[in-house]
Amino acid sequence: TPILRPDGTVVQCAGYDPPTRLFLTEDWPELGCKPSREDALAAWRDLGYAFSEFPFVTAEDRSVLISAILTALQRRLLPSAPLFGFTAPAQRTGKSLLAECVAIIATGLPAPAMAVSGEREEMRKPVAATLREGHAIVNLDNVEYPLGSPDLSRAITQPEYADRMLGQTRNFRLPTNVLWTATGNNLAFRGDLAVRTLLSRLDSRIERPEERHFQIADLKRYVSEHRRKLVA
């Protein structure tokens, strides 16, 4: 997807861009480099409509979602970014769907889901493996207990992640320009992650959230079909 250069101009033409050292696979001709306030408000309405049927607890919880989308688009050039969590008191409220839609807008595909272990060593290995694979977005899916990991905290905060190759004596250094999301019922964080996370809360306030009906029946399909407009 297009991305903002440090000088505020937009990478929107296909090919290699020397200032950012990134490669854009296709042209995005509809993007303007000098948007007006009216353009910004119209964009807010477009994004808001796509997610208007989610039961956000407050306006701030909706803003966390918008922040996640904007961060996902720009993450490759950011030295660090918070983890974005989506939580609700009950299952089938839409937490995973929100995380998937953030990834679809930014990459065209849902993010790979990563299981979470409570053991530090078991968390260290998937964090390192994820960074080596170069994913743009990774979702920690269905976290069932307070999440705390010094290794994940380092990957979120530092521009590079250093560790030792498993079974070897040499070290490696990896860029950390990955967006991390997490979903879970009553999601909670401990340690450094508690202050490195933005949390979006949902609450349908009904006993069976899965029985709701929506104007946008298939949101992932809607987001895919309108992806260029939502990115712009």
Side-chain angles (χ1 to χ4, degrees):
T1 53
I3 196 167
L4 282 172
R5 297 185 183 94
D7 65 1
T9 57
V10 182
V11 179
Q12 58 184 353
C13 296
Y16 179 71
D17 184 63
T20 61
R21 296 184 292 178
L22 295 174
F23 186 90
L24 187 61
T25 56
E26 60 180 346
D27 289 323
W28 291 68
E30 72 270 27
L31 281 175
C33 290
K34 295 182 179 180
S36 64
R37 177 176 175 80
E38 288 70 26
D39 293 329
L41 292 173
W44 171 260
R45 288 191 292 270
D46 289 337
L47 282 174
Y49 173 74
F51 301 101
S52 60
E53 298 179 271
F54 281 87
F56 294 103
V57 175
T58 67
E60 288 78 7
D61 296 296
R62 180 182 290 104
S63 294
V64 170
L65 168 67
I66 302 302
S67 176
I69 294 171
L70 295 173
T71 305
L73 294 173
Q74 194 67 18
R75 184 64 182 96
R76 288 306 198 194
L77 292 182
L78 297 177
S80 64
L83 183 151
F84 289 89
F86 301 98
T87 186
Q91 296 179 338
R92 312 294 295 176
T93 308
K95 308 177 297 293
S96 295
L97 182 58
L98 280 181
E100 288 179 322
C101 286
V102 170
I104 291 172
I105 291 174
T107 70
L109 296 170
M114 186 176 110
V116 179
S117 171
E119 299 294 331
R120 173 172 179 176
E121 188 64 21
E122 292 303 313
M123 192 67 185
R124 171 186 162 226
K125 289 186 286 188
V127 167
T130 296
L131 296 178
R132 291 188 68 184
E133 291 172 359
H135 295 296
I137 303 176
V138 175
N139 183 43
L140 309 177
D141 197 30
N142 291 322
V143 180
E144 297 180 345
Y145 44 81
L147 179 62
S149 168
D151 299 289
L152 182 56
S153 294
R154 282 198 296 136
I156 289 173
T157 308
Q158 303 298 325
E160 285 190 330
Y161 181 91
D163 206 342
R164 179 175 55 84
M165 297 284 286
L166 294 177
Q168 301 182 30
T169 58
R170 68 188 183 93
N171 295 334
F172 62 81
R173 300 178 69 89
L174 298 169
T176 60
N177 52 1
V178 177
L179 182 75
W180 298 85
T181 60
T183 63
N185 292 334
N186 300 310
L187 189 60
F189 302 89
R190 54 187 174 85
D192 288 341
L193 280 181
V195 294
R196 298 177 185 182
T197 299
L198 291 176
L199 197 60
S200 178
R201 300 167 300 154
L202 305 174
D203 191 350
S204 64
R205 302 184 186 277
I206 59 175
E207 185 176 355
R208 299 181 182 275
E210 68 275 9
E211 296 180 354
R212 294 169 295 166
H213 297 281
F214 303 100
Q215 293 182 355
I216 304 177
D218 188 342
L219 183 61
K220 288 192 287 186
R221 180 177 178 179
Y222 175 90
V223 169
S224 295
E225 292 177 348
H226 296 81
R227 179 171 173 254
R228 292 178 71 89
K229 182 178 181 181
L230 295 173
V231 169

